[in-house]
Amino acid sequence: MSGTLLNAFQTLSPLRDFNVWRLPVAARDLRVLFGRIHNFSKNRIADCTFNEGFLYFKGDPSNVEKELKESNEVYIGEPLEEVVLSPSTDMLLIKHLFYSAFEGTLYERGWLAPLKNMKRAIPLADEIFKENLHLKISDEVMMLFGLKYMFEVRPSGDALLWLDIYAPLWSLAERRRLHIKEIDEEIRKIYKEKALLRPKERYYRTLEIINDVFGGEKSLEIRFCDNTSVSFLKEMITPPPPPEDIKEKVVFFQSMIDESFLRFKNGYSRNPKKIVNLKAYDFGAIKEVPVKAIVAEPLKDIFLNFLRKLENGHRGNYMGWPGFSAVTGAKLSFNNGDLIELENGFSEKDIEDCFLRLVSESGNRAVILLIMPRPLHGFYHKIKARALQKRRRIQVILVDTLNKEPLEFSLLNIGIALYAKAGGTPWILREPMLNARGLFIGISFHLDHEMKNIYYGVMEVFDKYGKHLECKVRMYKSPYEEEIKSVKGLYIPRDDAKKMLNNIIEEYDPVEIIFHKSALFHREEKKAIEEVCQQHGIRCCLVHIEKSNPYRVYMPNQDYVSLRGTIIFDLPNRDRAILITTGHSIGNYEKVKTWSGIGTPKPLEITVEKNTTEYNVREIAGHILNTTKLDWNTTETSVKLPITLKYSNKAANLAPYLREPDIGLVDIADIRDLM
């Protein structure tokens, strides 16, 4: 555990009084004012932030007043006064002033920041050809090595600067960043091969970029326009083990959460791949799994060869796949009449027609395979929605999976997914996650793909073993009929949330409920949960699980790869922690299992927003780690998201297709319908 590094840099000494100027200002259009504020920072006139009618700034007051008076759209009031900000009460103001100073410094040194209000920075055109700031992807496309950045200011006066690599693709001809929709499959493949940095390379390249921005000084200095500065240590934070005697300078400390055991037919293991030896949990409960297939013409022989190995077994270099029935107790049922070959390409209409034909020829337990040479993109959700309507389960398989080595892992993953989709239970948790009769509820949202003022809310319900119980999907409209820009801030309205929760409570009679959401809980949701839980005497916990964050955790003694189950506690904020769910993992007999993913693992940020249960942050993080192991779509130990969020998000993504006139709203009664 020693030597763990967080990509955060701490101030050399706590902030004390923070002197700034305060000036009353107003504008008809606040965009004009914010444009001025950005230019002040860019031209190093002043570092500014606007709050409740006042401009707070560090710089020369006469220059600021002069620039503002030149604008006919910004109005200056009185008095101009010097005030002192305190980290304990003015954290937000101080943080925004840090951003202004840092972004101004970046611009001075040949960088552009921020990018569309995102805390991202890229080197400008005359800088991108520095060897350590770019990577050529093709003759037309280059990848830039930029920065993600985030400041934190604590009431104690400690400030943190988080820095990570930001790596957008850049069009050389048009001299601009490429949108993800503009990136074709070939470029995407090269990007994954060349640009997704492994942890050790990412760590050292981050340090190189920091040297480019800050120079070779011993500290990271943030200099303001009034000639004051704040220095940060030029060393990443090393969180110690749980401290016996907490010292002032300790901001984080780390610990480990043990991997939970899974229960199979013939025993227990931490590793899902042990299903090969220990057999499926309900081995023999299903006698036969009928399989149908739609195959693009050139892939027929590849598919049939794969299916034979899936049924009969395959001896690989890393492990053996003994065959479908040996692992599950069920026989695969397939013959030549169960396959439809698409001879003239694979249009959406052809695929859908073939699917409906196979539905008419099969029973409810049949699983339909769709073998494709490339991803289906938007059509994927449409065909999954069609399968839901027809009460059939579909498995989309790309040809790369059929050829991918080591083949035994593809056989294992597809075999287990097929068995689950046919109604089987591959494994369960050995122990319940809650001490009493309780539920986990994942909440997710999705914007309609056509009607931009419509969104969908989902509540996915699981029991204390992580068994899926039901999925509630609802459609909502923007109250002002305005276009909704982002799922951030979306919520289930109070009355509807109360109705949904009351129905769930009536059905399952819990005494405690843990809520997982990938965004902050809205006040309407909080009020609904509080009122319903108080009415029924139910304990509740609201957990915000954020996957989009700037955090990285490096472990030099593990080749800089993070170790799954590591938890980083935020000492000043006891309701927050950073949890590692991907990376190397600890298996049976404490043996470390090497992570085989690409890029660098990114942790989850956990924030407990309300808690009337007996569970602390460590135990709540343990629930999250446990529920990552209940995804039957993979036998990997290292899985990032808990099923509470992964499958509520899948249901939300399907919702727009379920409301189409020819499909209608279809209930999602089983998690297998979402796999």
Side-chain angles (χ1 to χ4, degrees), residues 433-434 440 514 516 615 619-628:
M433 291 179 282
L434 303 178
F440 290 90
I514 311 293
H516 291 171
Y615 307 109
E619 290 165 324
I620 289 163
H623 300 156
I624 294 168
L625 193 71
N626 285 341
T627 50
T628 66

Side-chain angles (χ1 to χ4, degrees), residues 212-238:
D212 265 356
V213 173
F214 290 97
E217 301 299 324
K218 293 183 178 180
S219 64
L220 310 181
E221 188 175 60
I222 305 297
R223 181 165 292 280
F224 298 93
C225 290
D226 63 356
N227 291 323
T228 61
S229 64
V230 175
S231 295
F232 292 75
L233 288 165
K234 204 176 181 180
E235 296 177 355
M236 292 189 183
I237 288 178
T238 300

Side-chain angles (χ1 to χ4, degrees), residues 573-634:
N573 183 356
R574 299 300 181 97
D575 292 326
R576 176 198 185 208
I578 296 170
L579 175 66
I580 313 299
T581 57
T582 53
H584 295 331
S585 57
I586 296 178
N588 297 337
Y589 310 109
E590 304 302 314
K591 184 178 179 181
V592 174
K593 183 179 182 297
T594 303
W595 181 64
S596 59
I598 59 175
T600 300
K602 182 182 283 190
L604 301 176
E605 180 181 18
I606 301 167
T607 304
V608 179
E609 295 191 34
K610 180 181 178 62
N611 189 9
T612 61
T613 72
E614 63 182 352
Y615 307 109
N616 58 33
V617 172
R618 180 191 181 91
E619 290 165 324
I620 289 163
H623 300 156
I624 294 168
L625 193 71
N626 285 341
T627 50
T628 66
K629 301 189 77 165
L630 294 173
D631 187 357
W632 297 325
N633 239 344
T634 179

